Amino acid sequence: MQIESSWKEVLKDEFKKPYFTELREWVRERYKSTIVYPPAKQIFNAFDLCPFDNVKVVILGQDPYHGPGQAHGLCFSVLEGVPFPPSLQNIFKEIQDDLKKPIPKSGNLSYLAKQGVFLLNATLTVEKDKAGSHQNKGWEIFTDAVISTLAEKKSNLVFLLWGSFAGKKEILIPPNKHLVLKSAHPSPLSAYRGFLGNKHFSKTNEYLISAGKQSIDW
């Protein structure tokens, strides 16, 4: 697997399982026969930019963006020059309101990944203009294993679970070992029902500092 070395080691048994072999072959065929996002070399970008030992915060999305030039392997993130999708707009709005920080000019969240924010989508690939097209093919089994591995092998992580889909992953996280913060999703359909005003970013930093870790420059 073309994935950062510490993740390759910690997930080595997962990569050997039959479901993952089948998933890999299926995804490879989809890239050959249709347009799939993100570009193949960026499927594991979240892992490559945030090695296992560096993870302090986990943000879970569901699907990559399915429009041209958007997805690059980090949930909610887009490359420089790409207009902010609505959910990302609301994330930046909450950071601004919570921490009094200006809204960035770029929607590329690599700066967070490099600080230890693991920006994981539950499904790592999607076909152009077909939301959810690669769900239930095996990616969710893999990313559940990733979450479980983090929760088991590390301590004092912060899991930001936004929306009902992400919230269901709380079952994978042992209580009293990590901080789990749940709220509505930042989508415009739900952001005003509890995402905006949740103060998850300041709460995350307070917890990290209390655990003797460096806070995140959101």
Side-chain angles (χ1 to χ4, degrees):
M1 291 301 305
Q2 295 298 310
I3 192 172
E4 190 274 333
S5 58
S6 65
W7 283 107
K8 189 171 187 178
E9 174 62 25
V10 80
L11 296 172
K12 61 185 178 184
D13 291 339
E14 207 65 26
F15 292 135
K16 296 174 184 174
K17 292 180 178 178
Y19 87 87
F20 194 87
T21 301
E22 293 174 14
L23 169 66
R24 185 174 56 203
E25 292 306 314
W26 184 83
V27 170
R28 183 177 288 143
E29 286 303 313
R30 299 315 295 162
Y31 271 95
K32 287 179 181 178
S33 60
T34 189
I35 298 173
V36 179
Y37 301 128
K41 290 184 178 180
Q42 295 177 344
I43 292 174
F44 294 106
N45 206 18
F47 301 78
D48 296 338
L49 290 176
C50 188
F52 182 80
D53 290 342
N54 293 2
V55 177
K56 295 188 287 187
V57 181
V58 180
I59 298 179
L60 184 67
Q62 188 163 4
D63 254 15
Y65 296 122
H66 53 82
Q70 291 181 307
H72 66 117
L74 305 178
C75 72
F76 296 110
S77 179
V78 291
L79 292 171
E80 286 82 357
V82 177
F84 299 172
S87 291
L88 183 57
Q89 291 180 33
N90 284 329
I91 289 169
F92 284 148
K93 186 176 189 300
E94 178 57 24
I95 291 172
Q96 181 185 46
D97 292 346
D98 186 13
L99 299 172
K100 307 300 182 272
K101 292 180 66 71
I103 291 176
K105 291 182 169 61
S106 168
N108 189 334
L109 302 182
S110 295
Y111 74 99
L112 295 179
K114 292 172 182 176
Q115 296 181 72
V117 181
F118 185 49
L119 296 158
L120 179 68
N121 274 315
T123 302
L124 297 188
T125 55
V126 70
E127 289 172 29
K128 180 183 177 183
D129 299 329
K130 294 181 180 178
S133 51
H134 286 194
Q135 291 177 5
N136 303 314
K137 302 296 183 183
W139 277 131
E140 295 92 341
I141 301 172
F142 174 70
T143 52
D144 278 1
V146 170
I147 295 167
S148 296
T149 300
L150 282 165
E152 176 192 341
K153 293 183 178 294
K154 296 179 73 73
S155 58
N156 300 122
L157 298 179
V158 182
F159 290 85
L160 301 181
L161 307 181
W162 300 330
S164 59
F165 175 84
K168 292 173 184 173
K169 303 299 181 179
E170 185 176 14
I171 195 172
L172 302 172
I173 304 163
N176 306 319
K177 189 180 179 185
H178 307 283
L179 176 64
V180 176
L181 296 174
K182 297 167 67 177
S183 79
H185 194 275
S187 160
L189 298 174
S190 58
Y192 289 93
R193 297 203 300 267
F195 177 80
L196 295 174
N198 65 19
K199 300 195 178 299
H200 278 187
F201 303 102
S202 59
K203 290 176 181 176
T204 293
N205 280 350
E206 289 165 7
Y207 179 81
L208 292 175
I209 291 168
S210 73
K213 299 184 180 185
Q214 180 73 35
S215 61
I216 304 297
D217 182 3
W218 296 100

